[in-house]
Amino acid sequence: MRRGLTFVALAAGAAVMLSACGRADDNPTGGESPAPVQSVDTENASGTLDVWAMGAEGEKLPELVKEFTDANPNITVNVTAVPWDSAHDKFVNSITAGTTPDVAMVGTTWMGEFAGMDALDPTPSSIDSSVFFEGAHNTTVVNGTSYGVPWYVETRLVYYRTDILAAAGVSAVPTDQDEFKAMAASLKGQDGVKWGISLQPGQTGSWQTVLPFAWSRGASVASDDAYTFNTPEMVAAVDYFGSYFADGIADPQPPAGQTEADFVGGAVPMFVSGPWMMSIIEDYAATGGDDDFASKYDVAPIPSSGGATSSSFIGGSNLAVFKGTESRDAAWALVDWLSQPETQIKWYNLTSDLPSVQAAWDDQVLAGDEKLSKFGDQLLTAQAPPSFPSWEQVAESFDGEIEKVAKQGLSGQDAMTAAQAQADSIGTGQ
């Protein structure tokens, strides 16, 4: 089985009359009363649906949806593939102009912004939020109301070379952060190893690597109505992350595009990434004549500290129905169908996008892959950043402070003081 992973999965529900929605208690940005939800009747739905999806999902979805339209001849589905680099602006412009699609794939960090623009339809209660990974469901919740369903998911684990660790006398990857760091440092003594681990030293998206270490120390980046970067837990987590660079364990200036080459060649025997990297490194190794590389590496959960639970970043995309739809029943009928475990497995076989519905992971195609099943285990405790509309802007400033930590030796306290000040200035956007 080839494992070239992008990211995708969905929701669940039945075709009945519906009322209020999802788990506000689990929402890190909850606080307001859930929005009222109008009932829908998915059993008698009809109409024409315009669906937007990005990347490979936009290319593959028409093939899957044909099965849905064959079973629902009164519903027509037209899929538009939207390039990722222009998607956000296309959505914002369509919301402003009143020309939104009926259903769309929406990035998890866009949910707060679009809900704040009053563009999304609240999720009907017939869609059972408990079937999804909790962290994935939370990405749909804004101010106590769920707007859509998780479509597909991904999370990050530690990739490590089992043969190099074995040569260093390491039989198992430590689950404690301090022990993990000591182990990473010890790997530099092995033949050919230049750095113990590869970690992103700031720049765009580095928060996706830093926050798992912070969450796994009990830190939080937001309360119900504010950012909380400048806390002892976050400061300690950033100092811990920065110590990998200060102590020469991780390269503060890693060359671009070298992760797979350094990992396969043994120069860097550990890195943190998502499930899509399995096929990338195995294919890279195969081009060099090593068809057995899969037996030379494994994956492990993010190490934790202080009794906290190991927690990684949960990514992926959601499915949302826009308020402007003239075929609301049909829109939610499509979402409902895409949410069924059997549909999610078919979608995985088409795209390698990982299911957001937990029951789909019981299928042998996923459960039978030992490495992939470990990502499923990490998804049980994975977390997402707050669904504040301003998160992407705040994350950019956070990434800038992390780069100073990694490359200039800035302290965790100074970095988080600055990040907090910037976040306070920007606000939550609510």
Side-chain angles (χ1 to χ4, degrees), residues 27 42 68 107 175 214 222 268 301:
N27 176 29
T42 58
F68 171 78
T175 58
V268 185

Side-chain angles (χ1 to χ4, degrees), residues 79-131:
V79 178
T80 298
V82 179
W84 267 111
D85 58 1
S86 62
H88 179 269
D89 288 347
K90 183 177 178 68
F91 276 114
V92 171
N93 291 337
S94 73
I95 292 170
T96 302
T99 56
T100 53
D102 300 279
V103 180
M105 168 184 173
V106 177
T108 58
T109 59
W110 301 346
M111 296 297 293
E113 179 182 1
F114 296 171
M117 298 174 74
D118 198 31
L120 305 180
D121 194 47
T123 310
S125 63
S126 67
I127 292 185
D128 181 6
S129 63
S130 68
V131 305

Side-chain angles (χ1 to χ4, degrees), residues 369-417:
D369 187 316
E370 292 186 6
K371 292 188 181 76
L372 200 55
S373 66
K374 292 178 182 178
F375 283 95
D377 292 339
Q378 186 77 84
L379 282 164
L380 293 171
T381 58
Q383 301 183 54
S387 56
F388 295 148
S390 64
W391 168 252
E392 289 197 334
Q393 186 179 358
V394 169
E396 183 178 358
S397 65
F398 178 86
D399 289 341
E401 296 306 317
I402 293 301
E403 184 165 9
K404 297 173 187 175
V405 170
K407 297 181 179 180
Q408 301 174 20
L410 187 69
S411 72
Q413 183 62 72
D414 288 345
M416 291 302 94
T417 297

Side-chain angles (χ1 to χ4, degrees), residues 315-398:
S317 281
N318 297 331
L319 282 177
V321 173
F322 281 81
K323 278 189 173 181
T325 181
E326 296 181 356
S327 303
R328 184 169 181 266
D329 291 351
W332 283 112
L334 174 61
V335 171
D336 173 62
W337 181 79
L338 288 170
S339 303
Q340 302 307 312
E342 58 272 20
T343 307
Q344 299 232 306
I345 291 299
K346 291 176 182 177
W347 186 237
Y348 171 76
N349 287 329
L350 278 175
T351 63
S352 294
D353 290 338
L354 298 179
S356 62
V357 174
Q358 296 185 53
W361 286 76
D362 294 333
D363 191 281
Q364 188 60 25
V365 71
L366 296 173
D369 187 316
E370 292 186 6
K371 292 188 181 76
L372 200 55
S373 66
K374 292 178 182 178
F375 283 95
D377 292 339
Q378 186 77 84
L379 282 164
L380 293 171
T381 58
Q383 301 183 54
S387 56
F388 295 148
S390 64
W391 168 252
E392 289 197 334
Q393 186 179 358
V394 169
E396 183 178 358
S397 65
F398 178 86

Side-chain angles (χ1 to χ4, degrees), residues 161 263-265 281-282 285-286 290-297:
R161 286 285 300 268
F263 188 68
V264 171
I281 59 177
E282 289 172 20
D290 189 349
D291 294 324
D292 190 41
F293 189 75
S295 66
K296 299 176 182 176
Y297 81 96

